[in-house]
Coordinates of all heavy atoms in Angstrom, one line a residue:
M1 N 6.6 7.8 -35.7 CA 6.5 6.5 -35.2 C 6.2 6.6 -33.7 O 6.8 7.3 -33.0 CB 7.8 5.7 -35.4 CG 7.6 4.2 -35.4 SD 9.1 3.3 -35.7 CE 9.9 3.4 -34.1
S2 N 5.2 5.8 -33.3 CA 4.8 5.9 -31.9 C 5.8 5.2 -31.0 O 6.5 4.2 -31.4 CB 3.4 5.4 -31.6 OG 3.4 4.0 -31.3
K3 N 6.0 5.7 -29.8 CA 6.9 5.1 -28.9 C 6.4 3.8 -28.3 O 5.2 3.5 -28.2 CB 7.1 6.1 -27.7 CG 8.0 7.3 -28.0 CD 8.2 8.0 -26.6 CE 9.2 9.1 -26.7 NZ 9.6 9.5 -25.4
K4 N 7.4 3.0 -27.9 CA 7.1 1.7 -27.2 C 7.6 1.7 -25.8 O 8.7 2.3 -25.6 CB 7.7 0.5 -28.0 CG 7.2 0.3 -29.4 CD 5.9 -0.5 -29.4 CE 5.4 -0.8 -30.8 NZ 4.0 -1.2 -30.8
F5 N 6.9 1.1 -25.0 CA 7.3 1.0 -23.6 C 7.3 -0.5 -23.1 O 6.5 -1.3 -23.6 CB 6.4 1.8 -22.7 CG 6.4 3.3 -23.0 CD1 5.6 3.8 -24.0 CD2 7.4 4.1 -22.5 CE1 5.6 5.1 -24.4 CE2 7.4 5.5 -22.8 CZ 6.5 6.0 -23.8
K6 N 8.1 -0.8 -22.1 CA 8.1 -2.1 -21.6 C 7.6 -2.0 -20.1 O 8.1 -1.1 -19.4 CB 9.5 -2.7 -21.6 CG 9.6 -4.1 -21.3 CD 10.9 -4.7 -21.8 CE 12.1 -4.1 -21.1 NZ 13.3 -4.6 -21.6
I7 N 6.6 -2.8 -19.8 CA 6.2 -2.9 -18.4 C 6.9 -4.1 -17.8 O 6.9 -5.2 -18.4 CB 4.6 -3.2 -18.3 CG1 3.8 -2.1 -19.1 CG2 4.2 -3.2 -16.8 CD1 2.3 -2.5 -19.1
R8 N 7.4 -3.9 -16.6 CA 8.0 -5.0 -15.9 C 7.4 -5.1 -14.5 O 7.3 -4.1 -13.8 CB 9.5 -4.9 -15.8 CG 10.2 -6.2 -15.2 CD 11.7 -6.1 -15.4 NE 12.3 -4.8 -14.9 CZ 12.4 -4.5 -13.6 NH1 12.2 -5.4 -12.7 NH2 12.9 -3.4 -13.3
H9 N 6.8 -6.3 -14.2 CA 6.2 -6.5 -12.9 C 7.0 -7.5 -12.1 O 7.1 -8.6 -12.4 CB 4.8 -7.1 -13.2 CG 3.9 -7.2 -11.9 ND1 3.0 -8.2 -11.8 CD2 3.9 -6.5 -10.8 CE1 2.4 -8.1 -10.6 NE2 2.9 -7.0 -10.0
D10 N 7.5 -7.0 -11.0 CA 8.2 -7.8 -10.0 C 7.1 -8.5 -9.2 O 6.7 -8.0 -8.1 CB 9.1 -7.0 -9.1 CG 9.7 -7.8 -7.9 OD1 9.5 -9.0 -7.9 OD2 10.3 -7.1 -7.1
R11 N 6.6 -9.6 -9.8 CA 5.4 -10.2 -9.2 C 5.6 -10.8 -7.8 O 4.7 -10.8 -6.9 CB 4.9 -11.3 -10.1 CG 3.4 -11.7 -9.8 CD 2.9 -12.7 -10.9 NE 1.5 -13.0 -10.7 CZ 1.1 -13.9 -9.8 NH1 1.9 -14.6 -9.1 NH2 -0.2 -14.0 -9.6
D12 N 6.8 -11.2 -7.5 CA 7.1 -11.7 -6.2 C 7.0 -10.7 -5.1 O 6.7 -11.0 -3.9 CB 8.6 -12.3 -6.1 CG 8.7 -13.5 -7.0 OD1 7.7 -14.2 -7.3 OD2 9.9 -13.9 -7.3
G13 N 7.1 -9.4 -5.5 CA 7.0 -8.3 -4.5 C 5.6 -7.8 -4.3 O 5.4 -6.9 -3.5
C14 N 4.7 -8.2 -5.2 CA 3.3 -7.8 -5.1 C 2.7 -8.2 -3.8 O 2.8 -9.3 -3.4 CB 2.6 -8.3 -6.3 SG 0.8 -8.0 -6.3
I15 N 1.9 -7.3 -3.2 CA 1.2 -7.6 -2.0 C -0.3 -7.7 -2.2 O -1.0 -7.8 -1.2 CB 1.5 -6.6 -0.8 CG1 1.1 -5.2 -1.3 CG2 3.0 -6.7 -0.4 CD1 1.1 -4.1 -0.1
G16 N -0.7 -7.7 -3.4 CA -2.1 -7.9 -3.7 C -3.0 -6.8 -3.3 O -4.2 -7.0 -3.0
C17 N -2.5 -5.6 -3.4 CA -3.4 -4.4 -2.9 C -4.5 -4.1 -3.8 O -5.4 -3.4 -3.5 CB -2.5 -3.2 -2.7 SG -2.2 -2.3 -4.2
T18 N -4.5 -4.6 -5.0 CA -5.6 -4.5 -6.1 C -5.6 -3.1 -6.8 O -6.4 -2.9 -7.7 CB -7.0 -4.8 -5.6 OG1 -7.5 -3.7 -4.8 CG2 -7.0 -6.1 -4.8
S19 N -4.8 -2.2 -6.4 CA -4.8 -0.9 -7.0 C -4.6 -0.8 -8.5 O -5.4 -0.2 -9.2 CB -3.8 0.0 -6.3 OG -3.8 1.3 -6.8
C20 N -3.6 -1.6 -9.0 CA -3.4 -1.6 -10.4 C -4.6 -2.1 -11.2 O -4.9 -1.6 -12.2 CB -2.1 -2.4 -10.7 SG -2.2 -4.1 -10.1
A21 N -5.2 -3.2 -10.6 CA -6.3 -3.8 -11.3 C -7.6 -2.9 -11.3 O -8.4 -2.9 -12.2 CB -6.7 -5.1 -10.6
N22 N -7.7 -2.0 -10.3 CA -8.8 -1.1 -10.2 C -8.6 0.0 -11.2 O -9.5 0.5 -11.9 CB -8.9 -0.5 -8.8 CG -9.5 -1.5 -7.9 OD1 -10.3 -2.4 -8.2 ND2 -9.1 -1.4 -6.6
I23 N -7.3 0.5 -11.3 CA -7.0 1.7 -12.2 C -7.0 1.3 -13.7 O -7.4 2.0 -14.5 CB -5.7 2.3 -11.7 CG1 -5.9 3.0 -10.4 CG2 -5.2 3.2 -12.8 CD1 -4.7 3.6 -9.8
C24 N -6.4 0.1 -13.9 CA -6.1 -0.3 -15.3 C -6.5 -1.7 -15.6 O -5.6 -2.6 -15.9 CB -4.7 0.0 -15.6 SG -4.2 -0.2 -17.3
P25 N -7.8 -2.0 -15.5 CA -8.2 -3.4 -15.6 C -8.0 -4.1 -17.0 O -8.0 -5.3 -17.1 CB -9.7 -3.4 -15.3 CG -10.2 -2.0 -15.5 CD -8.9 -1.1 -15.2
R26 N -7.8 -3.3 -18.0 CA -7.5 -3.9 -19.3 C -6.2 -4.6 -19.3 O -6.0 -5.5 -20.1 CB -7.4 -2.7 -20.4 CG -8.7 -2.2 -20.8 CD -8.5 -1.3 -22.1 NE -7.6 -0.3 -21.9 CZ -6.6 0.0 -22.7 NH1 -6.4 -0.7 -23.7 NH2 -5.8 1.0 -22.4
F27 N -5.3 -4.2 -18.4 CA -4.0 -4.8 -18.4 C -3.7 -5.6 -17.1 O -2.9 -6.5 -17.1 CB -2.9 -3.7 -18.5 CG -2.7 -3.2 -19.9 CD1 -3.5 -2.3 -20.4 CD2 -1.7 -3.8 -20.7 CE1 -3.4 -1.8 -21.7 CE2 -1.5 -3.4 -22.0 CZ -2.4 -2.4 -22.5
W28 N -4.4 -5.2 -16.0 CA -4.1 -5.8 -14.7 C -5.3 -6.5 -14.1 O -6.3 -5.9 -14.0 CB -3.6 -4.7 -13.7 CG -2.3 -4.1 -14.2 CD1 -2.2 -3.0 -15.0 CD2 -1.0 -4.5 -14.0 NE1 -0.9 -2.7 -15.2 CE2 -0.1 -3.6 -14.6 CE3 -0.4 -5.6 -13.3 CZ2 1.3 -3.7 -14.6 CZ3 1.0 -5.7 -13.2 CH2 1.8 -4.8 -13.9
Q29 N -5.1 -7.8 -13.7 CA -6.2 -8.5 -13.1 C -5.7 -9.3 -11.9 O -4.5 -9.7 -11.9 CB -6.8 -9.5 -14.1 CG -7.9 -8.7 -15.0 CD -8.1 -9.4 -16.3 OE1 -8.0 -10.6 -16.5 NE2 -8.5 -8.6 -17.3
M30 N -6.5 -9.4 -10.9 CA -6.1 -10.2 -9.7 C -6.3 -11.7 -10.0 O -7.3 -12.1 -10.5 CB -7.0 -9.7 -8.5 CG -6.9 -8.2 -8.2 SD -5.2 -7.6 -8.2 CE -4.5 -8.4 -6.7
N31 N -5.2 -12.4 -9.6 CA -5.2 -13.8 -9.8 C -6.0 -14.5 -8.6 O -5.7 -14.3 -7.4 CB -3.7 -14.3 -9.8 CG -3.6 -15.8 -10.0 OD1 -4.2 -16.6 -9.3 ND2 -2.8 -16.1 -11.0
E32 N -7.0 -15.2 -8.9 CA -7.9 -15.8 -7.9 C -7.2 -16.9 -7.1 O -7.5 -17.2 -5.9 CB -9.2 -16.4 -8.5 CG -10.1 -15.2 -8.9 CD -11.4 -15.7 -9.6 OE1 -11.6 -17.0 -9.6 OE2 -12.0 -14.9 -10.2
Q33 N -6.1 -17.5 -7.7 CA -5.4 -18.5 -6.9 C -4.5 -17.9 -5.8 O -4.6 -18.3 -4.7 CB -4.5 -19.3 -7.9 CG -4.9 -20.7 -8.1 CD -6.0 -20.8 -9.2 OE1 -5.8 -20.4 -10.3 NE2 -7.2 -21.3 -8.8
D34 N -3.7 -17.0 -6.2 CA -2.7 -16.5 -5.1 C -2.9 -15.1 -4.7 O -2.2 -14.6 -3.8 CB -1.3 -16.8 -5.6 CG -0.9 -15.9 -6.8 OD1 -1.7 -15.1 -7.2 OD2 0.2 -16.2 -7.4
G35 N -3.9 -14.4 -5.3 CA -4.3 -13.1 -4.8 C -3.4 -12.0 -5.3 O -3.5 -10.9 -4.8
L36 N -2.4 -12.3 -6.2 CA -1.5 -11.3 -6.7 C -2.0 -10.8 -8.0 O -2.8 -11.5 -8.7 CB -0.1 -11.9 -6.7 CG 0.5 -12.5 -5.5 CD1 1.9 -13.0 -5.7 CD2 0.4 -11.5 -4.3
A37 N -1.4 -9.7 -8.5 CA -1.8 -9.2 -9.8 C -1.1 -9.9 -10.9 O 0.1 -10.3 -10.8 CB -1.5 -7.7 -9.8
D38 N -1.9 -10.1 -12.0 CA -1.3 -10.6 -13.2 C -1.3 -9.5 -14.3 O -2.4 -8.8 -14.5 CB -2.1 -11.8 -13.7 CG -1.8 -13.1 -13.0 OD1 -0.7 -13.2 -12.5 OD2 -2.8 -13.8 -12.8
L39 N -0.2 -9.3 -15.0 CA -0.2 -8.5 -16.1 C -0.6 -9.3 -17.3 O 0.1 -10.3 -17.7 CB 1.3 -7.9 -16.3 CG 1.6 -7.1 -17.5 CD1 0.7 -5.9 -17.6 CD2 3.1 -6.6 -17.4
Q40 N -1.7 -9.0 -17.9 CA -2.3 -9.8 -19.0 C -1.3 -10.0 -20.2 O -0.7 -9.1 -20.6 CB -3.6 -9.1 -19.5 CG -4.7 -9.1 -18.5 CD -4.9 -10.5 -17.8 OE1 -5.3 -11.4 -18.5 NE2 -4.6 -10.6 -16.6
D41 N -1.2 -11.3 -20.6 CA -0.5 -11.6 -21.8 C 1.0 -11.3 -21.7 O 1.8 -11.3 -22.7 CB -1.0 -10.9 -23.1 CG -2.4 -11.2 -23.3 OD1 -2.8 -12.4 -23.1 OD2 -3.1 -10.3 -23.8
A42 N 1.5 -11.1 -20.4 CA 2.9 -10.9 -20.2 C 3.7 -12.2 -20.3 O 3.2 -13.2 -20.0 CB 3.1 -10.2 -18.9
K43 N 5.0 -12.0 -20.6 CA 5.8 -13.2 -20.6 C 6.6 -13.3 -19.3 O 7.0 -12.2 -18.8 CB 6.7 -13.2 -21.9 CG 8.1 -12.8 -21.7 CD 8.9 -12.9 -23.0 CE 10.1 -12.0 -22.9 NZ 10.6 -11.4 -24.0
R44 N 6.8 -14.5 -18.8 CA 7.4 -14.6 -17.5 C 8.9 -14.8 -17.8 O 9.4 -15.7 -18.6 CB 6.9 -15.9 -16.8 CG 7.5 -16.1 -15.4 CD 6.8 -17.1 -14.7 NE 5.5 -16.6 -14.1 CZ 5.4 -16.0 -13.0 NH1 6.4 -15.8 -12.2 NH2 4.2 -15.6 -12.6
L45 N 9.7 -14.0 -17.1 CA 11.2 -14.1 -17.2 C 11.7 -15.1 -16.2 O 11.0 -15.5 -15.2 CB 11.8 -12.8 -17.0 CG 11.2 -11.6 -17.8 CD1 11.9 -10.3 -17.4 CD2 11.4 -11.9 -19.3
T46 N 12.9 -15.5 -16.4 CA 13.5 -16.5 -15.4 C 13.7 -15.9 -14.0 O 13.6 -16.6 -13.0 CB 14.9 -17.0 -15.9 OG1 15.7 -15.9 -16.3 CG2 14.8 -17.9 -17.1
S47 N 13.8 -14.6 -14.0 CA 13.9 -13.9 -12.7 C 12.6 -14.0 -11.9 O 12.5 -13.7 -10.7 CB 14.2 -12.4 -12.9 OG 13.1 -11.8 -13.6
G48 N 11.5 -14.4 -12.6 CA 10.2 -14.4 -11.9 C 9.3 -13.2 -12.2 O 8.1 -13.1 -12.0
D49 N 10.0 -12.1 -12.8 CA 9.3 -10.9 -13.2 C 8.5 -11.3 -14.4 O 8.8 -12.3 -15.1 CB 10.3 -9.8 -13.6 CG 11.0 -9.3 -12.4 OD1 10.8 -9.7 -11.3 OD2 11.8 -8.3 -12.6
T50 N 7.4 -10.5 -14.7 CA 6.7 -10.6 -16.0 C 6.9 -9.3 -16.8 O 7.1 -8.3 -16.2 CB 5.2 -11.0 -15.8 OG1 4.6 -10.0 -15.1 CG2 5.1 -12.3 -15.0
E51 N 6.8 -9.5 -18.1 CA 7.2 -8.3 -18.9 C 6.2 -8.3 -20.1 O 5.8 -9.3 -20.7 CB 8.6 -8.6 -19.4 CG 9.3 -7.3 -19.8 CD 10.8 -7.7 -20.1 OE1 11.1 -8.1 -21.2 OE2 11.6 -7.4 -19.2
L52 N 5.9 -7.0 -20.5 CA 5.0 -6.8 -21.7 C 5.4 -5.5 -22.4 O 5.6 -4.5 -21.7 CB 3.5 -6.8 -21.2 CG 2.4 -6.6 -22.3 CD1 2.3 -7.9 -23.1 CD2 1.1 -6.2 -21.6
T53 N 5.4 -5.6 -23.7 CA 5.6 -4.3 -24.5 C 4.3 -3.7 -24.8 O 3.3 -4.4 -25.2 CB 6.4 -4.7 -25.8 OG1 7.6 -5.3 -25.4 CG2 6.6 -3.4 -26.6
I54 N 4.2 -2.4 -24.6 CA 3.0 -1.6 -24.9 C 3.3 -0.4 -25.8 O 4.4 0.0 -25.9 CB 2.2 -1.1 -23.6 CG1 3.2 -0.2 -22.8 CG2 1.7 -2.3 -22.8 CD1 2.4 0.6 -21.7
S55 N 2.2 0.1 -26.4 CA 2.4 1.3 -27.2 C 2.1 2.5 -26.4 O 1.5 2.5 -25.3 CB 1.4 1.2 -28.4 OG 1.6 0.0 -29.1
E56 N 2.4 3.7 -27.1 CA 2.2 4.9 -26.4 C 0.8 5.2 -25.9 O 0.6 5.8 -24.8 CB 2.6 6.0 -27.4 CG 3.0 7.3 -26.8 CD 3.8 8.2 -27.8 OE1 3.7 7.9 -29.0 OE2 4.4 9.2 -27.4
E57 N -0.2 4.7 -26.6 CA -1.6 5.0 -26.2 C -2.0 4.3 -24.9 O -2.9 4.7 -24.2 CB -2.6 4.7 -27.3 CG -2.7 3.2 -27.7 CD -1.8 2.9 -28.9 OE1 -0.8 3.7 -29.2 OE2 -2.2 1.9 -29.6
D58 N -1.2 3.3 -24.5 CA -1.5 2.6 -23.3 C -0.6 3.0 -22.1 O -0.7 2.4 -21.0 CB -1.4 1.1 -23.5 CG -2.4 0.6 -24.5 OD1 -3.6 1.0 -24.4 OD2 -2.1 -0.3 -25.3
F59 N 0.2 4.0 -22.4 CA 1.2 4.4 -21.4 C 0.6 5.0 -20.2 O 0.9 4.6 -19.0 CB 2.3 5.3 -22.0 CG 3.3 5.9 -21.1 CD1 4.3 5.1 -20.7 CD2 3.1 7.2 -20.5 CE1 5.2 5.6 -19.7 CE2 4.0 7.7 -19.6 CZ 5.1 6.9 -19.2
E60 N -0.3 6.0 -20.4 CA -0.8 6.8 -19.3 C -1.5 5.9 -18.2 O -1.3 6.1 -17.0 CB -1.8 7.8 -19.8 CG -1.2 9.1 -20.4 CD -0.3 9.8 -19.5 OE1 -0.6 9.9 -18.3 OE2 0.7 10.4 -19.9
D61 N -2.4 5.0 -18.7 CA -3.1 4.2 -17.8 C -2.2 3.3 -16.9 O -2.3 3.1 -15.7 CB -4.1 3.2 -18.5 CG -5.3 4.0 -19.0 OD1 -5.4 5.2 -18.7 OD2 -6.1 3.3 -19.7
N62 N -1.1 2.8 -17.6 CA -0.2 1.9 -16.9 C 0.7 2.7 -16.0 O 1.1 2.2 -14.9 CB 0.6 1.1 -17.9 CG -0.2 -0.2 -18.4 OD1 -0.5 -1.1 -17.6 ND2 -0.6 -0.2 -19.6
M63 N 1.0 3.9 -16.4 CA 1.8 4.8 -15.5 C 1.0 5.1 -14.2 O 1.6 5.1 -13.1 CB 2.2 6.1 -16.2 CG 3.1 7.0 -15.4 SD 4.5 6.3 -14.6 CE 5.8 6.9 -15.6
E64 N -0.3 5.4 -14.4 CA -1.1 5.6 -13.2 C -1.1 4.4 -12.3 O -1.1 4.5 -11.1 CB -2.5 5.9 -13.7 CG -3.2 7.1 -13.0 CD -4.6 7.3 -13.5 OE1 -4.8 7.7 -14.7 OE2 -5.5 7.1 -12.7
A65 N -1.3 3.2 -12.9 CA -1.3 2.0 -12.1 C 0.1 1.8 -11.4 O 0.1 1.5 -10.2 CB -1.5 0.8 -13.0
A66 N 1.1 2.1 -12.1 CA 2.5 2.0 -11.5 C 2.7 2.9 -10.3 O 3.2 2.6 -9.2 CB 3.6 2.2 -12.5
E67 N 2.2 4.2 -10.5 CA 2.3 5.2 -9.5 C 1.5 4.9 -8.2 O 1.8 5.3 -7.1 CB 1.9 6.6 -10.0 CG 3.0 7.2 -10.9 CD 2.5 8.4 -11.6 OE1 1.3 8.7 -11.7 OE2 3.4 9.2 -12.1
S68 N 0.4 4.1 -8.5 CA -0.5 3.8 -7.3 C 0.0 2.6 -6.5 O -0.5 2.4 -5.4 CB -1.9 3.4 -7.9 OG -1.9 2.1 -8.4
C69 N 1.0 1.9 -7.0 CA 1.5 0.7 -6.3 C 2.2 1.0 -5.1 O 3.3 1.7 -5.2 CB 2.3 -0.2 -7.3 SG 2.9 -1.7 -6.5
P70 N 1.8 0.6 -3.9 CA 2.4 1.0 -2.7 C 3.8 0.4 -2.4 O 4.5 0.9 -1.6 CB 1.4 0.5 -1.6 CG 0.7 -0.6 -2.2 CD 0.6 -0.3 -3.7
V71 N 4.1 -0.7 -3.2 CA 5.4 -1.3 -3.0 C 6.3 -1.2 -4.2 O 7.3 -1.8 -4.3 CB 5.2 -2.8 -2.6 CG1 4.8 -2.9 -1.1 CG2 4.3 -3.6 -3.5
N72 N 5.8 -0.4 -5.1 CA 6.7 0.0 -6.3 C 7.2 -1.2 -7.1 O 8.4 -1.3 -7.4 CB 7.8 0.9 -5.9 CG 7.3 2.2 -5.3 OD1 6.4 2.8 -5.8 ND2 7.9 2.5 -4.1
V73 N 6.3 -2.1 -7.4 CA 6.8 -3.3 -8.1 C 6.4 -3.3 -9.6 O 6.7 -4.2 -10.3 CB 6.3 -4.6 -7.5 CG1 7.0 -4.8 -6.1 CG2 4.8 -4.7 -7.4
I74 N 5.8 -2.2 -10.0 CA 5.5 -2.0 -11.5 C 6.5 -1.0 -12.1 O 6.5 0.2 -11.6 CB 4.0 -1.5 -11.7 CG1 3.1 -2.5 -11.1 CG2 3.8 -1.3 -13.2 CD1 1.6 -2.1 -11.1
H75 N 7.2 -1.4 -13.1 CA 8.2 -0.5 -13.7 C 7.9 -0.3 -15.1 O 7.4 -1.2 -15.8 CB 9.6 -1.1 -13.5 CG 10.0 -1.3 -12.1 ND1 10.4 -0.3 -11.3 CD2 9.9 -2.4 -11.3 CE1 10.6 -0.7 -10.0 NE2 10.3 -2.0 -10.1
L76 N 8.2 0.9 -15.6 CA 8.0 1.3 -17.0 C 9.3 1.8 -17.6 O 9.9 2.6 -17.1 CB 6.9 2.3 -17.2 CG 5.4 1.9 -17.0 CD1 4.5 3.0 -16.8 CD2 5.0 1.1 -18.3
V77 N 9.6 1.2 -18.8 CA 10.9 1.5 -19.4 C 10.5 2.0 -20.8 O 9.7 1.4 -21.6 CB 11.8 0.3 -19.5 CG1 13.0 0.6 -20.4 CG2 12.2 -0.2 -18.2
D78 N 11.1 3.2 -21.2 CA 11.0 3.7 -22.5 C 12.0 2.9 -23.4 O 13.2 3.0 -23.2 CB 11.4 5.2 -22.5 CG 11.4 5.8 -23.9 OD1 11.5 5.1 -24.9 OD2 11.2 7.0 -24.0
I79 N 11.5 2.1 -24.3 CA 12.4 1.2 -25.0 C 13.4 1.9 -25.9 O 14.5 1.5 -26.1 CB 11.5 0.2 -25.9 CG1 10.8 -0.8 -24.9 CG2 12.4 -0.6 -26.8 CD1 9.9 -1.8 -25.6
G80 N 12.9 3.1 -26.5 CA 13.8 3.9 -27.3 C 15.0 4.3 -26.6 O 16.2 4.2 -27.1
S81 N 14.9 4.9 -25.4 CA 16.0 5.5 -24.7 C 16.6 4.5 -23.7 O 17.7 4.7 -23.2 CB 15.6 6.7 -24.0 OG 14.7 6.4 -22.9
G82 N 15.8 3.5 -23.3 CA 16.3 2.6 -22.3 C 16.1 3.1 -20.9 O 16.4 2.4 -19.9
N83 N 15.5 4.3 -20.7 CA 15.3 4.9 -19.4 C 14.1 4.2 -18.7 O 13.1 4.0 -19.2 CB 14.9 6.4 -19.5 CG 16.1 7.2 -20.0 OD1 17.3 6.8 -19.8 ND2 15.9 8.4 -20.6
E84 N 14.4 3.9 -17.4 CA 13.4 3.4 -16.5 C 12.6 4.6 -16.0 O 13.2 5.5 -15.3 CB 13.9 2.6 -15.4 CG 12.8 1.9 -14.6 CD 13.3 0.9 -13.6 OE1 13.6 -0.2 -14.0 OE2 13.5 1.2 -12.4
L85 N 11.3 4.8 -16.3 CA 10.6 6.0 -15.9 C 9.9 5.9 -14.6 O 9.6 6.9 -14.0 CB 9.5 6.2 -17.0 CG 10.0 6.2 -18.5 CD1 8.9 6.3 -19.4 CD2 10.9 7.5 -18.6
I86 N 9.8 4.7 -14.1 CA 9.3 4.4 -12.7 C 9.7 3.1 -12.3 O 9.8 2.2 -13.1 CB 7.7 4.6 -12.6 CG1 7.2 4.5 -11.2 CG2 7.0 3.5 -13.5 CD1 5.8 5.0 -11.0
Ligands
F3S1 FE1 0.4 -5.7 -6.5 FE2 1.1 -3.2 -6.7 FE3 -0.9 -4.1 -8.1 S1 1.0 -4.4 -4.8 S2 -1.8 -5.6 -6.8 S3 1.3 -4.8 -8.2 S4 -0.7 -2.1 -7.3

């Protein structure tokens, strides 16, 4: 069975650097209204963070996007173990 991961975006902390959207445009797009990144199809939590579950095949691209974020507001959690990987 393939692993599942959760992406969590602390959108309030995003500074709109566009790096995630350049690296992984299938998942990340810049919002024309406020200039911050949107995680596509993510659900918004009451904390203001947005969250999306992804499969193993989409992990690498999103990890690269997360690693590129200068303010570290993209987090990836291995749902199986509960470990936050970044
Ligand atoms: Fe924002 Fe970080 Fe993407 S600052 S635009 S979430 S790389």
Side-chain angles (χ1 to χ4, degrees):
M1 202 180 79
S2 92
K3 284 188 169 193
K4 295 276 188 197
F5 298 89
K6 193 160 62 183
I7 307 174
R8 189 169 48 78
H9 184 214
D10 170 10
R11 198 172 185 278
D12 292 341
C14 173
I15 58 169
C17 83
T18 76
S19 179
C20 55
N22 287 328
I23 287 174
C24 188
R26 281 191 306 130
F27 282 83
W28 299 91
Q29 277 157 28
M30 301 313 294
N31 184 304
E32 285 175 15
Q33 248 85 56
D34 64 10
L36 304 181
D38 283 327
L39 175 57
Q40 293 310 294
D41 302 323
K43 103 177 155 207
R44 181 171 285 273
L45 307 179
T46 48
S47 63
D49 292 1
T50 64
E51 206 173 79
L52 181 71
T53 299
I54 58 165
S55 305
E56 206 163 11
E57 64 262 27
D58 294 320
F59 176 78
E60 283 299 325
D61 284 356
N62 279 293
M63 180 52 105
E64 223 183 293
E67 284 173 344
S68 79
C69 178
V71 287
N72 301 313
V73 293
I74 301 175
H75 300 282
L76 281 165
V77 174
D78 179 336
I79 291 178
S81 68
N83 289 338
E84 185 171 280
L85 306 172
I86 186 166

